[in-house]
């Protein structure tokens, strides 16, 4: 377990989740159902998702597990939603459930930048590989994932011959891509292998470093209004420490008119929670909710996604023009011409994924090494920040390139 016990010369008992586990894979390959097996929570909470039976937006929930001793030597981990509330929970982490539909590629990308580990789902009852399966695997080139946990779902719907064949094909592909992996089986009927998967998650994330001796930076993932209180900001702290009653800034601010500069937003933290657990302070790790004094009547909730929350005057710079050192995704190279005409606006229109934000823009200049991108909205970017660039092909967004932020203006 990531242990953070020394914050600002005080010893604290950590109550919040310290990890974010993400799910990737093609649509209807069992991502949301697996999370429900572990947590008894449905991440598809919107009416449109219930009607269509697929994830449309990023889903969030928390998983708590306990350690059970089998004998003096052996022990195993188990989800604890069937146990009493006073059970000793030894491990807690947050889930981000990403949609797998081809039309929701940019939504998936906005969630991957926050993940510490990834569960990759492949259904044995479907054709392999699906296009979205390939694109989700390409995202692993951008993220620093030490080991990939692959879950072959719906194994109760196919013969052992096909399962074995798919297992061998996967091993060959991942070995070629030099991706360390562990493969597990999962079914719809029985909750099999859940203990082994939980054990692998804990094993991979047994030692994770977090930067706490610096100014706090909180990435906003979602914003919603409460009935009787103010506006709640959901997201994750990537460095530093946040405390109650602290005055914070949201950067970049919001502008009602595109011709005006973004208005500076200052607010105060009233309350912080990790699901139902009240927190007096937040350290880097899982997803938390922050209740603020912002007016809940304002209609800019979606505009806050991807912005930073932190100490006024100690925030990263915001830019509308960025220079990126890029690498083209191999599947896109055949469609590219490095001598772009800046007048081809349809070709140059892109979406840049930075943290959890998807920002539209266009390519101003391009050579074989660098991209000059003009963003349609101010965006805060950290030094050496990794970004992903998507471009529209036949009415669908496809992965184009990824790279590192060099400088901005």
């Amino acid at each position: 377990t990531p242990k953070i016990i020394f914050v600002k010369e005080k010893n604290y008992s950590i109550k919040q989740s310290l990890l974010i586990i993400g799910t990737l894979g093609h649509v209807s390959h069992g991502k949301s159902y697996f999370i429900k097996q572990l947590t008894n929570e449905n991440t598809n909470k919107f009416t449109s998702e219930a009607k269509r039976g697929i994830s449309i937006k990023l889903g969030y929930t928390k998983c708590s597990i306990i350690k059970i001793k089998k004998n003096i030597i052996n022990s195993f981990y188990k989800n604890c939603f069937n146990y009493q509330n006073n059970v000793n929970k030894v491990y807690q982490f947050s889930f981000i459930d990403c949609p797998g539909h081809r039309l929701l590629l940019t939504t998936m990308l906005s969630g991957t930048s926050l993940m510490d580990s990834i569960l990759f789902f492949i259904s044995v009852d479907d054709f392999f590989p699906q296009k979205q399966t390939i694109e989700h695997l390409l995202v692993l080139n951008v993220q620093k994932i030490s080991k990939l946990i692959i879950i072959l779902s719906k194994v109760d719907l196919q013969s052992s011959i096909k399962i074995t064949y798919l297992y061998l094909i996967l091993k060959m592909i991942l070995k070629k891509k030099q991706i360390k992996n562990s493969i597990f089986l999962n079914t719809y009927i029985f909750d099999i292998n859940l203990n082994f998967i939980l054990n692998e998650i804990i094993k991979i994330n047994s030692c994770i470093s977090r930067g706490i001796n610096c100014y706090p930076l909180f990435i906003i993932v979602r914003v919603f209004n409460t009935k009787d209180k103010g506006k709640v900001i959901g997201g994750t702290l990537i460095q530093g420490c946040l405390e109650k009653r602290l005055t914070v800034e949201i950067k970049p601010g919001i502008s009602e008119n595109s011709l005006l500069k973004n208005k500076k937003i200052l607010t105060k933290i009233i309350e912080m929670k990790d699901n139902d657990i009240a927190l007096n302070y937040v350290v880097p790790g899982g997803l938390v909710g922050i209740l603020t004094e912002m007016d809940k009547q304002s209609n800019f909730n979606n505009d806050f996604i991807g912005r930073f929350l932190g100490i006024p005057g100690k925030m990263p710079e915001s830019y509308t023009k960025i220079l990126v050192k890029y690498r083209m995704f191999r599947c896109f190279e055949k469609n590219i011409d490095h001598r772009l005409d800046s007048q081809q606006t349809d070709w140059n229109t892109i979406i840049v994924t930075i943290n959890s934000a998807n920002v539209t823009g266009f390519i101003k200049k391009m050579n074989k090494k660098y991209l000059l991108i003009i963003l349609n909205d101010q965006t805060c970017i950290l030094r050496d920040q990794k970004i992903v660039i998507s471009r529209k092909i036949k009415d669908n967004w496809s992965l184009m390139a990824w790279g590192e932020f060099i400088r901005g203006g």
Side-chain angles (χ1 to χ4, degrees):
T1 304
K3 295 182 179 179
I4 305 174
I5 58 173
F6 195 73
V7 181
K8 293 187 178 180
E9 300 182 355
K10 295 180 181 179
N11 287 323
Y12 289 121
S13 174
I14 305 301
K15 297 181 180 180
Q16 69 177 85
S17 304
L18 296 179
L19 289 173
I20 297 179
I21 309 298
T23 61
L24 296 182
H26 189 66
V27 62
S28 298
H29 275 201
K31 301 183 293 296
S32 301
Y33 182 78
F34 174 80
I35 294 177
K36 188 173 183 179
Q37 284 180 311
L38 281 181
T39 65
N40 203 31
E41 293 284 340
N42 188 4
T43 56
N44 296 337
K45 298 179 180 179
F46 293 90
T47 305
S48 56
E49 293 177 321
K51 288 181 179 179
R52 298 180 61 181
I54 62 172
S55 298
I56 297 176
K57 297 185 178 182
L58 293 177
Y60 312 95
T61 190
K62 177 183 176 181
C63 181
S64 300
I65 60 179
I66 58 175
K67 189 174 184 179
I68 298 177
K69 287 188 176 182
K70 192 173 183 180
N71 50 47
I72 298 176
I73 300 175
N74 299 321
S75 61
F76 63 93
Y77 294 95
K78 184 176 179 63
N79 54 323
C80 59
F81 66 82
N82 287 327
Y83 290 78
Q84 296 178 355
N85 293 330
N86 59 357
V87 71
N88 186 20
K89 301 172 185 178
V90 299
Y91 211 88
Q92 298 178 101
F93 51 82
S94 303
F95 266 120
I96 293 183
D97 184 22
C98 292
H101 198 278
R102 60 188 177 87
L103 299 177
L104 303 169
L105 174 68
T106 54
T107 304
M108 178 273 293
L109 291 173
S110 66
T112 56
S113 61
L114 308 175
M115 299 174 184
D116 295 302
S117 291
I118 291 177
L119 306 181
F120 201 98
F121 288 78
I122 299 174
S123 173
V124 300
D125 194 42
D126 211 342
F127 174 77
F128 178 83
Q130 296 280 350
K131 183 179 179 181
Q132 276 60 55
T133 303
I134 296 173
E135 288 192 323
H136 285 212
L137 280 172
L138 288 174
V139 174
L140 301 177
N141 294 331
V142 185
Q143 307 302 325
K144 293 181 179 179
I145 302 298
S146 59
K147 192 174 183 180
L148 185 65
I149 300 176
I150 295 179
I151 298 176
L152 296 180
S153 60
K154 306 182 184 180
V155 295
D156 46 337
L157 303 180
Q158 282 296 334
S159 65
S160 58
I161 296 175
K162 183 174 181 179
I163 296 170
T164 305
Y165 171 77
L166 183 57
Y167 175 88
L168 295 175
I169 292 294
L170 270 173
K171 279 292 185 182
M172 182 181 67
I173 293 174
L174 296 171
K175 184 178 180 180
K176 187 177 180 180
K177 296 290 185 181
Q178 297 181 339
I179 300 175
K180 295 182 179 180
N181 63 90
S182 295
I183 300 179
F184 298 90
L185 305 181
N186 183 249
T187 73
Y188 270 173
I189 300 176
F190 304 105
D191 295 345
I192 66 169
N193 286 337
L194 296 185
N195 299 341
F196 298 103
I197 295 170
L198 289 174
N199 187 71
E200 188 68 17
I201 291 173
I202 294 172
K203 181 180 176 182
I204 291 174
N205 299 286
S206 60
C207 184
I208 290 182
S209 60
R210 303 292 192 191
I212 58 176
N213 297 320
C214 45
Y215 293 109
L217 275 181
F218 184 92
I219 299 177
I220 299 175
V221 176
R222 57 175 175 166
V223 178
F224 58 93
N225 300 326
T226 57
K227 292 182 179 180
D228 53 346
K229 297 183 179 180
K231 196 179 292 290
V232 175
I233 296 174
T236 182
L237 189 68
I238 60 174
Q239 67 179 45
C241 176
L242 287 176
E243 298 180 355
K244 289 173 64 175
R245 295 177 293 277
L246 187 68
T247 299
V248 293
E249 176 187 358
I250 296 177
K251 187 176 180 180
I254 301 296
S255 176
E256 297 183 16
N257 191 323
S258 59
L259 299 177
L260 301 176
K261 291 184 178 180
N262 286 30
K263 184 179 178 181
K264 189 175 182 179
I265 298 179
L266 295 176
T267 186
K268 183 176 287 187
I269 297 175
I270 301 174
E271 189 179 24
M272 298 184 292
K273 282 189 175 183
D274 182 357
N275 277 28
D276 296 329
I277 301 176
L279 305 170
N280 292 323
Y281 56 88
V282 171
V283 295
L287 298 170
V288 296
I290 299 176
L291 178 64
T292 67
E293 291 182 342
M294 282 194 298
D295 182 11
K296 64 179 182 180
Q297 301 301 326
S298 59
N299 297 319
F300 299 116
N301 288 0
N302 292 333
D303 295 330
F304 286 118
I305 296 175
R307 283 163 161 75
F308 280 107
L309 180 147
I311 302 299
K314 305 296 181 182
M315 304 283 283
E317 294 295 326
S318 60
Y319 308 99
T320 55
K321 182 189 298 184
I322 59 173
L323 181 67
V324 178
K325 183 179 180 181
Y326 75 96
R327 299 176 187 177
M328 199 71 65
F329 285 112
R330 186 172 297 178
C331 62
F332 197 85
E333 287 178 345
K334 60 182 180 180
N335 299 320
I336 196 75
D337 182 359
H338 295 292
R339 295 170 296 177
L340 284 178
D341 182 358
S342 60
Q343 300 300 320
Q344 297 174 333
T345 55
D346 292 340
W347 201 101
N348 292 347
T349 301
I350 58 173
I351 286 182
V352 182
T353 303
I354 306 169
N355 297 317
S356 60
N358 291 314
V359 186
T360 58
F362 64 91
I363 300 172
K364 184 69 174 179
K365 292 182 181 179
M366 180 179 188
N367 58 29
K368 292 185 177 181
K369 194 174 182 180
Y370 296 100
L371 283 172
L372 179 61
I373 299 174
I374 308 298
L375 302 175
N376 294 335
D377 193 11
Q378 286 191 9
T379 306
C380 288
I381 309 178
L382 301 173
R383 184 180 298 176
D384 300 325
Q385 174 91 51
K386 285 190 176 182
I387 66 173
V388 181
I389 302 166
S390 306
R391 182 210 155 200
K392 213 168 196 179
I393 300 178
K394 296 180 180 179
D395 298 327
N396 295 323
W397 290 101
S398 298
L399 294 174
M400 172 182 169
W402 66 278
E404 296 85 28
F405 169 71
I406 304 300
R407 62 176 182 268

